[in-house]
Amino acid sequence: SSGINAEWPLRPGYKLYFEGMAGLRVLVGCKRVIDYAVKIRVRPDQLGVVTEGVKHSMNPFDENAIEEAVRMKLKKIVKEIVVVSCGPAQSQETIRTALAMGADRGIHVEVPKGTEADLQPLAVAKIFAQLVEKEKPDLVILGKQAIDDDSNVTTQLLAGLLDWPQGTMASVVEHSEGALKITREIDGGLEDISVKLPAVISADLRLNEPRYATLPNIMKAKKKKIEKIAADSMGIDLAPRLKVLKVVDPPVRQSGDKLPDVHTLIEKLKEKGHIK
């Protein structure tokens, strides 16, 4: 036996998959978002949130995606990790963080500062689809969702554009002979699926515990290559399909009443019309 997985019908431009899946190239997304610990403030015009002078960091779900790719590389399953970030010039800082975690090189798809909020999931999926054609990865890993817009659709849109299998909301990923066995978190519990490569998967928070970048790796990351591409040079329709009508703060939660006994509780519920 040569070890070749002959069952997988090859697609144009893609190589044979060997037992152990050695030498895969992985494309990973990393988005720059407002840090999860920052208190969000609504803009005076109520069309978005305040981003100026606010701490930003990598989207937490994307940290899980990068960590999974790095672990695959340590297991000799992956040979190269390419990270992609779409956003303003400051997104290079996010890419450097990913490089310090263990990625090999980065691609920065730059959009003018102040317009990143208009870069919606469909546009991002189209950008990734074009980069897939250029880089010829065997696997794309994205975070399940971004904590700024909570869309949770970029992975699904990208898989549709590429006509690739998808494994979303992955909490466990196992690798075997040209395929991925994925445990997905769904409303009813857990679902186990198998997808053949090339494929697109999205990382859930339970997938792993992302590593901290060490100082030596941070220094090494400064020397790693980041390719810069202007978004408007890609010939992609990036026009937003959704329009934000209004953004408001959530209602302030009213304080509760402490009652002395069950009888008083029942009377209060009757007064408010909750029970008869």
Side-chain angles (χ1 to χ4, degrees), residues 103-137:
D104 297 293
R105 58 186 174 92
I107 299 175
H108 176 211
V109 180
E110 187 173 12
V111 299
K113 186 177 180 181
T115 65
E116 58 268 28
D118 293 330
L119 197 64
Q120 296 179 357
L122 179 59
V124 175
K126 289 178 179 179
I127 289 172
F128 268 84
Q130 190 171 119
L131 293 176
V132 165
E133 293 299 316
K134 173 177 176 285
E135 296 291 333
K136 295 291 188 292

Side-chain angles (χ1 to χ4, degrees), residues 28-261:
V28 187
C30 61
K31 185 179 182 181
R32 177 179 181 266
V33 299
I34 295 177
D35 190 84
Y36 70 92
V38 171
K39 181 176 174 58
I40 301 297
R41 293 179 292 124
V42 176
R43 282 173 14 196
D45 62 6
Q46 295 188 317
L47 293 178
V49 299
V50 176
T51 58
E52 290 295 329
V54 175
K55 180 184 177 183
H56 285 68
S57 60
M58 188 188 301
N59 179 47
F61 291 93
D62 295 341
E63 291 181 349
N64 295 102
I66 292 166
E67 175 65 27
E68 191 65 18
V70 171
R71 293 187 184 192
M72 293 169 69
K73 187 175 181 182
L74 293 175
K75 294 176 182 177
K76 308 299 183 183
I77 296 169
V78 166
K79 69 174 180 180
E80 185 180 34
I81 302 170
V82 184
V83 292
V84 179
S85 188
C86 308
Q90 295 90 333
S91 294
Q92 290 204 20
E93 300 169 8
T94 308
I95 294 175
R96 292 291 178 196
T97 300
L99 295 175
M101 289 176 67
D104 297 293
R105 58 186 174 92
I107 299 175
H108 176 211
V109 180
E110 187 173 12
V111 299
K113 186 177 180 181
T115 65
E116 58 268 28
D118 293 330
L119 197 64
Q120 296 179 357
L122 179 59
V124 175
K126 289 178 179 179
I127 289 172
F128 268 84
Q130 190 171 119
L131 293 176
V132 165
E133 293 299 316
K134 173 177 176 285
E135 296 291 333
K136 295 291 188 292
D138 308 289
L139 177 65
V140 179
I141 309 178
L142 305 176
K144 180 183 76 170
Q145 64 198 73
I147 61 172
D148 51 4
D149 59 16
D150 277 332
S151 293
N152 186 11
V153 293
T154 305
T155 300
Q156 296 88 327
L157 290 169
L158 177 59
L161 291 172
L162 296 174
D163 194 24
W164 282 12
Q166 60 179 290
T168 58
M169 298 172 284
S171 59
V172 177
V173 177
E174 297 175 345
H175 331 281
S176 175
E177 298 183 11
L180 299 176
K181 295 179 180 179
I182 298 171
T183 299
R184 302 178 62 241
E185 296 193 357
I186 59 175
D187 290 342
L190 300 176
E191 177 185 52
D192 294 325
I193 64 171
S194 178
V195 297
K196 290 184 177 181
L197 296 176
V200 187
I201 67 174
S202 67
D204 210 334
L205 292 178
R206 264 70 61 183
L207 180 58
N208 52 51
E209 182 70 30
R211 69 194 61 208
Y212 289 102
T214 62
L215 182 58
N217 286 337
I218 292 173
M219 300 306 293
K220 290 177 183 177
K222 293 181 179 181
K223 299 180 180 179
K224 293 182 179 180
K225 179 183 176 183
I226 299 179
E227 180 184 357
K228 185 176 174 181
I229 302 173
D232 56 9
S233 71
M234 301 180 74
I236 298 173
D237 179 9
L238 303 177
R241 266 52 176 185
L242 305 175
K243 181 180 180 181
V244 176
L245 300 179
K246 191 176 184 181
V247 177
V248 296
D249 286 310
V252 178
R253 185 176 178 180
Q254 295 181 351
S255 60
D257 296 326
K258 188 173 181 179
L259 304 176
D261 51 47

Side-chain angles (χ1 to χ4, degrees), residues 6-25:
E7 295 180 358
W8 169 239
L10 293 176
R11 303 185 184 190
Y14 287 86
K15 57 186 173 293
L16 293 171
Y17 293 92
F18 295 87
E19 288 182 1
M21 294 162 59
L24 299 184
R25 175 176 291 162

